Amino acid sequence: MKADLKTPRNRSVLKLAGAAAPILLVLILIPGLVETYQVQLLTYGLIAAIAALGFNLLLGYTGLLSFGHSAYFGIGAYAVAFVVQYLGPHSMEFYILIGIPTVAITSALLGYICVRHTQIFFGILTLALSQVLYSLALKLYWETGGSDGLRVPRPALLLGLLSFSGPRGFQQFITSYYYYVLAIFVVCVVLMWVVVHSPFGKTLQAIRDNEVRARFLGIRIRRFRWIAFLVSGTFTGLAGILWVPLNGLTTPDVLYWTFSGEIVFTALLGGFRNFTGPIVGGLVFTYLKTYAVASTEYWQLLLGVVLVTLVLVLPTGIVGAISKLGQRLARGKS
Amino acid sequence: MAILAIQILNSLLYASVLFLIAAGLSLIFGVMRIVNLAHGSLYAVGAYVTAWLVGRGIAMGVPLGWLFLLLPVGALSVALIGIVIEPLLLRPFYRRAEEYQLLVTFGLIQILEDMMRLIWGGTPLSADTLMDALPVIRIGGLLYPAYNLVVIGIGVVAAVVLWAGIYHTRFGVMLRATSQDRRMASALGLNVGLIYVSAFGIGCFMAGLGGAIVVPTQAAVLGMGIDALVIAFVVVVIGGLGSLKGALIGALVVSFVRTAGIQFFPELELAVLYLIAALVLLVRPTGLFGTA
């Protein structure tokens, strides 16, 4: 590390912005070029990317593997469903306004318990707590609809400026909602980038790399892990909030631990050692799963084989493998 | 009184199946330090294989008494699968972070679950002929199938054999030595690879046996393994990962709480179990009897 930390950091910001701009442009232009179904799929992909981005703050940057992140996604989804049921207004902003504090409070509470442990015990504790929520959603059927779940109708966007009814309502909703999610996605990426590059994020990485040394530096490890958990859960919860109006229905499946496994899979697919890994993973996983489900009845088998092969052959994920390849090419040239 | 007796017997029945699953999970973790997420699916494979074999046996006109010999055959076939899985899929991961082991076994769940669907289809597979082959006994004024007592007996025998095997045989000493210090055991000339394969095989055998003895009382259905895994997790978390005594006590606690739960608070029965597990983890992260 040189004394002037500013310059390389500024350069990396510029480099990132330069790489992101064309991708963003493509994402903005896409709805005009493809059919509604593809736009819908891409929206699901962006939402999965937000969920994985949040999850990866824990796995990639804090070194904690949560096997219960379905809890926060599901809390977000159910919070919206309860708002629809009891409070009425079909406004997306209102959903987010109620949903985010709900998710944040839940993550803070459960996180406070979970960060008392690390490694495998952390994983099992997160899993156990998410299963508590799952079994409540399943068994308290007079409130949650049991395994039938709860319906969520199409909300109005932008404080009621855009509402969707009539024969072309569905298509209009998908296109508008895509831009809505895209905007939130961009905000999330920027926010997360700021978080992991802030002194707070650097501290998390120090704890991940050497807990004992970090403690000797006077860092209050548990508190840092707790805040990371809170931020991580809130991001994943926001993904749940955004997911439910698109899906139109929330069922206890999004709280079940196998869904947590899918979130882990997503982050690993893209590569959890990279900032962009979970984003790529979220998009790729959505397409992979959709096409696997469409092409074979035994899509789970296909996904399982992909996962095992991936862990065996590409432990650094798609982004990790590409950047390694890029480095090798660059070295070959010079 | 008779109802109470039957509830206790039902709890013991459930406990002996749970013990078989959880003890295998615990043994594998104790020796190899791997949390095998696919353990529940292996239990389900045991149930499916046994039910399928029993069905074939009946079709071929095998006498009823002989069909009981198919229970250990079902368990052995799961052990064989385990012996193939360990060197092929798990061995490359012992040196890497434990996240990867969890992920590989998670992938294995998906593969095994769909394999079962591929081979046996979506309809439940039943082997209740075995249960009907044994008489029904009277407890108080109520009827109770004698087969359930057989299951409880198998659970007890399995616990005793496992305990004797681990604490009173040469192989048990080797297992415990490897579990305490793998490198030292290897330096002293133990074939650690062989011990790992046999520990994993025994663990899978236990899971398969659990599935084999449960399938005459309830049909094999898709998803039974995934449900069983989370309950087995609760058991080992309460008892302590890697502890045999813990698996036994944990299985008893979980099954009695569950029976009481179904009776008195059916909506919260599952939630209470997970809450107990979370509480134990908070107070004693290594469980009641764990040491690691």
Side-chain angles (χ1 to χ4, degrees), chain A residues 30-216:
Chain A
I30 271 182
L33 305 172
V34 297
E35 51 193 310
T36 314
Y37 172 67
Q38 293 296 334
V39 178
Q40 192 181 5
L41 205 54
L42 194 55
T43 318
Y44 276 120
L46 290 176
I47 291 169
I50 297 175
L53 199 63
F55 166 80
N56 201 42
L57 181 66
L58 276 185
L59 177 61
Y61 291 93
T62 320
L64 293 170
L65 174 62
S66 158
F67 237 87
H69 252 52
S70 63
Y72 313 104
F73 192 93
I75 286 284
Y78 271 94
V80 171
F82 283 131
V83 168
V84 171
Q85 204 166 25
Y86 293 108
L87 301 174
H90 296 310
S91 155
M92 195 60 213
E93 287 73 32
F94 189 65
Y95 294 171
I96 295 177
L97 205 68
I98 302 281
I100 292 222
T102 314
V103 175
I105 291 168
T106 322
S107 327
L109 277 174
L110 299 187
Y112 186 74
I113 301 172
C114 293
V115 294
R116 286 160 182 273
H117 298 299
T118 56
Q119 294 177 328
I120 192 71
F121 294 110
F122 175 83
I124 297 177
L125 198 51
T126 50
L127 191 148
L129 290 174
S130 76
Q131 283 296 111
V132 173
L133 295 176
Y134 163 76
S135 54
L136 289 179
L138 190 68
K139 294 283 176 95
L140 302 177
Y141 51 86
W142 56 92
E143 287 290 340
T144 63
S147 54
D148 290 344
L150 293 172
R151 296 204 140 279
V152 173
R154 259 174 254 155
L157 302 181
L158 301 175
L159 300 169
L161 271 180
L162 296 172
S163 58
F164 309 93
S165 51
R168 287 193 43 84
F170 176 70
Q171 269 125 334
Q172 282 167 357
F173 173 71
I174 293 297
T175 316
S176 317
Y177 199 64
Y178 168 76
Y179 284 113
Y180 197 85
V181 170
L182 181 62
I184 294 178
F185 168 75
V186 171
V187 172
C188 283
V189 170
V190 172
L191 264 179
M192 189 54 93
W193 201 87
V194 170
V195 167
V196 301
H197 288 85
S198 68
F200 170 74
K202 295 290 178 198
T203 313
L204 290 182
Q205 291 162 54
I207 295 173
R208 174 197 71 195
D209 291 339
N210 196 329
E211 188 183 334
V212 180
R213 207 175 282 174
R215 186 175 294 135
F216 283 162

Side-chain angles (χ1 to χ4, degrees), chain B residues 54 58 61-72 129-130 133-134:
Chain B
V54 168
I58 293 169
V62 177
L64 267 178
W66 289 94
L67 287 178
F68 280 92
L69 289 179
L70 293 174
L71 297 181
T129 323
L130 288 185
L134 293 183

